[in-house]
Amino acid sequence: MVVTLIGAGPGDPDLITLKAVKALKKADVIIYDRLANEQILEHAPENVKLIYVGKKAGEHYKKQTEINQIIVDNAKKYDNVIRLKGGDPFVFGRGGEEILELINNNIDFNVIPGVTSAIGAPTSLNLPVTHRAVATSFTVVTGHEDPTKKDKQVHWDYTADTLIILMGIGNIKSNTDEIMKYRDPETPACVIESGTLPEETIIFGTLNDIAEKEIHTPAILVIGDVINVYKKIYEFKNQKLSE
């Protein structure tokens, strides 16, 4: 028995890796998340057992402890269990927690990386998260830290040129208020909705006003001067589309 954690990528089903597709074709069971595009399941055998364990803010379908138990229980019954997770398993995907549970139960595992939305979503819109002239570093941070933690690790004083916030739309106002304690309120910001999907949308603003925009999840927040660079790319692409 073995459990393979697979990163499904940022949304577009074509962005899953070839290695992941090969693993899916051998699956007996697939335990999958809300942000894992269901079209990816078409790579699995017809008789595969599918288990949905998706979570949404405020509407948890399964608690993490329940998901861990589902993975363990199925691993004890089947040879090839796939845990399909949106983005990359180790970028705020709780992959590490699930692996520790497998270790506690003496169950072998593999991990196949995926394209995280932190980079996949901006790149799909031609937004460079680094640019030699204005950004030599970027930080990816959760916008929704575990509320049960005794000591918070997110203090918003990050010094990277570009800040990319995942899972933070529900807290966007409080997060940007905190970030403005360390960055100019006029720092460019943008939200990318449904990155890499046909309906993807970008919303421009600044740290000071981005929280006032109408935003729909799933979405990520990007902050930094790379957005000014991107606006030139954005204008060029839109001009070409209108020609």
Side-chain angles (χ1 to χ4, degrees):
M1 58 184 177
V2 63
V3 175
T4 302
L5 278 73
I6 294 178
D12 183 344
D14 288 342
L15 292 177
I16 194 167
T17 66
L18 288 173
K19 188 170 185 177
V21 169
K22 291 177 182 178
L24 286 166
K25 288 180 177 179
K26 300 176 182 179
D28 297 314
V29 181
I30 300 177
I31 303 164
Y32 66 103
D33 282 345
R34 181 176 70 94
L35 293 180
N37 195 311
E38 291 196 11
Q39 292 182 45
I40 291 171
L41 301 176
E42 295 173 5
H43 297 294
E46 289 186 7
N47 61 343
V48 70
K49 179 181 177 182
L50 299 176
I51 303 174
Y52 176 73
V53 293
K55 296 194 294 291
K56 185 176 181 180
E59 301 178 23
H60 282 217
Y61 184 78
K62 295 287 185 183
K63 295 180 180 178
Q64 188 60 47
T65 52
E66 294 177 293
I67 295 172
N68 291 349
Q69 194 59 52
I70 289 169
I71 297 170
V72 169
D73 290 345
N74 280 276
K76 291 178 179 179
K77 296 178 183 177
Y78 299 93
D79 291 330
N80 292 303
V81 174
I82 299 296
R83 176 67 174 106
L84 185 63
K85 307 173 74 67
D88 181 273
F90 287 167
V91 181
F92 306 130
R94 300 193 180 186
E97 296 174 44
E98 293 174 357
I99 282 177
L100 290 176
E101 188 65 26
L102 293 172
I103 290 172
N104 289 339
N105 287 272
N106 196 33
I107 296 171
D108 195 13
F109 60 88
N110 299 309
V111 182
I112 298 176
V115 178
T116 171
S117 62
I119 299 171
T123 299
S124 72
L125 284 167
N126 309 301
L127 194 166
V129 297
T130 63
H131 186 279
R132 188 168 60 168
V134 297
T136 59
S137 59
F138 66 91
T139 289
V140 181
V141 59
T142 178
H144 184 76
E145 193 170 9
D146 183 353
T148 65
K149 287 167 67 174
K150 181 179 178 181
D151 297 315
K152 301 299 182 184
Q153 293 174 270
V154 178
H155 299 295
W156 299 113
D157 54 348
Y158 302 103
T159 58
D161 299 311
T162 306
L163 190 59
I164 303 168
I165 303 172
L166 306 186
M167 306 182 301
I169 299 306
N171 299 326
I172 188 170
K173 182 64 168 65
S174 59
N175 289 344
T176 51
D177 283 348
E178 286 296 313
I179 296 168
M180 283 189 286
K181 294 178 180 179
Y182 307 98
R183 297 189 185 223
D184 185 339
E186 295 305 310
T187 301
C190 71
V191 168
I192 301 173
E193 298 179 347
S194 301
T196 77
L197 296 172
E199 64 270 25
E200 69 183 352
T201 303
I202 188 163
I203 301 166
F204 293 106
T206 64
L207 257 180
N208 190 47
D209 67 13
I210 194 68
E212 300 169 9
K213 311 289 185 177
E214 183 178 351
I215 299 169
H216 303 94
T217 58
I220 72 169
L221 174 61
V222 182
I223 299 165
D225 288 337
V226 290
I227 295 168
N228 286 335
V229 175
Y230 170 63
K231 285 180 178 178
K232 298 178 182 178
I233 300 170
Y234 179 82
E235 290 171 3
F236 175 82
K237 294 293 286 187
N238 280 354
Q239 180 182 349
K240 286 295 181 183
L241 286 172
S242 63
E243 289 178 353

